[in-house]
Amino acid sequence: GVEGIEELMSRFTSSYDQSKVKERIVPTDAEIIELIPRILNPQWRYVFGMMATYGLRNHEVWSAHIDNRKSKDGTVIPVCVVRDGKTGPRIAYPLPGDWVELFDLKDQVLPDLDKDLGKATSRAFQRQCKRIGESPRWKLYGLRHAYAIRCLSRKIPDAVASKWLGHSVGTFQNIYSKWINQSVSEDIWLKSAFQGEYDS
């Protein structure tokens, strides 16, 4: 009942309301594989490849690096260590794993930026695509959504996928399950119907 309290408190509340977001266009894996290797600038190709492979936010690439870790059975896993993500530090796993090689992510090469990393990265995506005569129907952040959908379609447990993406389980379920479009749903059904279960 305090006058002006809503305006005062609005500075401390999140504006991350996915109910107001219209349907996103999420790139398919085939579209990602076709586009990213063609990006001419190796620094921006690295940034876009990291976002696609590890589901990073635009600005997080600058506080992330790949760390090769051995699993219990000796398998080397190129995990991505995010030191300063939007929701704190985390570790993300490559999905799919062969994209680390495909997009040549072993050596970190970043554009020289020191502010507005998110906006600058989005603008750079448009510029770099224009240089190769492409105008994707999806926005750069779609790479993160594609990673999340990959987690869902490959049956990565929500508790695990949400950790990789730096979300709570509830946020992960609320945001990303709604972006499973018709083609993804059909792909999952076809593999389930004709192979007994979806196992890739």
Side-chain angles (χ1 to χ4, degrees):
V2 178
E3 188 176 332
I5 191 70
E6 283 106 5
E7 183 181 343
L8 177 66
M9 293 305 291
S10 68
R11 292 184 296 166
F12 304 103
T13 58
S14 171
S15 61
Y16 201 46
D17 184 358
Q18 289 295 307
S19 64
K20 295 179 182 176
V21 178
K22 294 178 182 176
E23 185 176 2
R24 291 183 190 272
I25 297 174
V26 179
T28 65
D29 286 0
E31 288 174 317
I32 294 168
I33 290 169
E34 195 277 330
L35 180 69
I36 291 179
R38 293 175 53 217
I39 297 296
L40 298 174
N41 183 305
Q43 296 173 327
W44 285 114
R45 188 168 60 240
Y46 172 82
V47 171
F48 308 148
M50 287 289 286
M51 290 180 65
T53 307
Y54 292 100
L56 303 181
R57 297 174 179 94
N58 297 20
H59 65 279
E60 289 179 334
V61 183
W62 276 261
S63 65
H65 69 276
I66 293 177
D67 184 19
N68 291 312
R69 299 188 176 179
K70 279 193 177 179
S71 67
K72 292 176 185 175
D73 69 356
T75 303
V76 176
I77 305 171
V79 300
C80 178
V81 179
V82 181
R83 297 181 305 279
D84 186 24
K86 181 179 177 182
T87 53
R90 72 177 189 279
I91 292 175
Y93 284 72
L95 199 62
D98 62 355
W99 281 12
V100 174
E101 193 75 36
L102 178 67
F103 300 144
D104 195 20
L105 303 178
K106 291 179 181 174
D107 297 318
Q108 187 179 50
V109 284
L110 286 168
D112 187 17
L113 298 178
D114 59 2
K115 60 181 180 179
D116 294 331
L117 299 176
K119 290 179 183 176
T121 305
S122 293
R123 288 192 298 264
F125 180 66
Q126 297 301 324
R127 281 197 316 273
Q128 295 300 317
C129 288
K130 191 176 284 188
R131 285 184 69 190
I132 58 172
E134 292 290 341
S135 181
R137 59 195 183 92
W138 42 276
K139 295 187 178 180
L140 178 62
Y141 210 76
L143 294 175
R144 180 168 163 81
H145 289 286
Y147 178 92
I149 289 173
R150 222 172 287 128
C151 288
L152 289 166
S153 65
R154 292 176 184 224
K155 295 187 177 177
I156 306 292
D158 289 357
V160 174
S162 61
K163 264 190 156 181
W164 294 355
L165 283 152
H167 279 306
S168 68
V169 174
T171 301
F172 173 78
Q173 292 170 338
N174 291 338
I175 294 174
Y176 296 111
S177 60
K178 73 184 285 187
W179 305 127
I180 297 183
N181 60 25
Q182 184 178 352
S183 64
V184 174
S185 296
E186 287 174 357
D187 184 48
I188 292 171
W189 180 82
L190 286 166
K191 290 186 178 182
S192 298
F194 297 108
Q195 294 180 3
E197 65 175 316
Y198 190 80
D199 57 4
S200 66

